[in-house]
Amino acid sequence: MTSTVDATRTQSPFAGSAARALVCRGCGAEFPLAAQHACFECFGPLEVAYDRSALGAVTREQIAAGPENIWRYAPLLPVGQDPSTRVTLNPGWTPLVRADALAREIGLRAPLWVKDDSANPTHSFKDRVVSVALTAARALGFARFACASTGNLANSVAAHAARNGYPSVVFIPADLEPGKILTTAVYGGAVVAVEGSYDDVNRLCSELTETDEFESTAFVNVNVRPFYAEGSRTLGFEVAEQLGWRLPEQVVIPMASGELLTKVDKAFGELVDIGLVDAAPWRVFGAQSAGCNPIAVALHAGRSEITPVKPTGIAKSLNIGDPAAGVYALEAVRRTGGWMDYATDEEIRDAIQLLARTTGVFAETAGGATVAVLRKLVDSGHLDPDLETVVFNTGEGLKTLDAVADRVGPTHRVRPSLRAARDVGLLG
């Protein structure tokens, strides 16, 4: 559970950071900052804990003076304070799109925004988490980068490794969308297609971290996972800053492991705690697909335990049947008064087209699931149509073209003449 790479190291790789320790989300035990992802006391997951006074010293002016990417929030992150130490594609500062036409179609009266993270370098929010994880991995002395992935993470790890001169090896389910396989393999690293589900892939990667052959390999979502997860906080910071340093009243976030939802919620709480935004209530809503909905099902049943499922359906980037942060996503939703729901494949396809038609944003299937769930939340009364809402699109539709390939195409087919154009009604 902890790598031998850092066995002789101290906390010096994190000098200048507000990060002070790794803390167990279960029992609260603390450990030094290292390549460790599970608690030695209770085997619970670890996350980064910060020095409150160091975070409290960060100002809006200091952030605004930074670059227009995630590193403007370097004072709030565990690594990357020195630009020369970063392993990054400089993601972030993606568009926050006002979505008035979409709001009208689904019955929202207050402002609706789409946080469009498809604008990142490899076209998903994973660039945020990978930049933070691999910067930590470099500080800890790792020589190769790796991951278990449903597609977007593999894209990002391979691209980061290529730009920064590191070898990479990524592990994916063999039945992944062809577009995501190609957009990973093009970077030249090793791509291992595993005959099994993402949960099988993740299990294999966890076993590999314990072998001598992989002791110098950083698996971004295994042995350096606590740092990886912190990159998602930048989405919360960014939304608040783009809204003029205030919190949205409602957010709708896709869930695979559930970690993105928990970290956006964490970011909002931290911004209030250190005085960068005024205290105000916010509600967190989660979105899954009907083919892989263990977190939402647990909420609907009133349970706090997650029952793993075998994923199906087109939203493969959300297909984590045994979600590591599911219980924490449940806690965040319940604490804030939000809700969760899930969408069928057909509802996802409809929502991809609806979002594109009303905002010009072409989302992958995860974004379609999120917009479909947004509509369901409005229809069911769980989401207040009179409160400002931000919905998160985490990936680019070009990666999942098959989802809508049989639904869209040329609306007219004509010969190259004015008469032909008139015959099909283009000239009235």
Side-chain angles (χ1 to χ4, degrees), residues 16 27-28 40 49 54 75 116 118 125 191 200 202 244 248 279 288 291 321 329 392 419 428:
C27 71
F40 293 156
D116 184 18
S118 69
F125 88 99
V191 180
D200 296 320
N202 191 52
Q288 294 199 284
F392 289 73
R419 180 174 180 178

Side-chain angles (χ1 to χ4, degrees), residues 11 38 79 83 95-96 108 115 136 145 156 166 219 230 232 313 360 379 382 414 424:
Q11 295 186 30
V79 291
L96 185 66
L108 287 172
K115 180 58 172 168
F145 301 150
S156 188
Y166 284 81
F219 283 80
E230 292 301 285
S232 291
D379 291 344
H382 284 102
V414 301
V424 297

Side-chain angles (χ1 to χ4, degrees), residues 29-48:
E30 292 194 3
F31 303 90
L33 295 165
Q36 179 182 342
H37 66 287
C39 175
F40 293 156
E41 303 296 330
C42 73
F43 302 104
L46 303 182
E47 67 176 352
V48 177

Side-chain angles (χ1 to χ4, degrees), residues 17 31 55 71 138 162 176 205 211 224 231 267 271 280 304-305 348 381 388 390 395 415 417:
S17 166
F31 303 90
L55 292 184
W71 300 113
R138 177 181 180 183
L176 200 61
C205 290
T211 67
V224 291
L271 291 175
S304 295
E305 300 80 24
I348 290 169
E388 183 177 48
V390 175
R415 298 183 306 279
S417 69

Side-chain angles (χ1 to χ4, degrees), residues 10-26:
T10 67
Q11 295 186 30
S12 59
F14 303 95
S17 166
R20 61 174 183 80
L22 298 179
V23 60
C24 177
R25 296 168 83 168

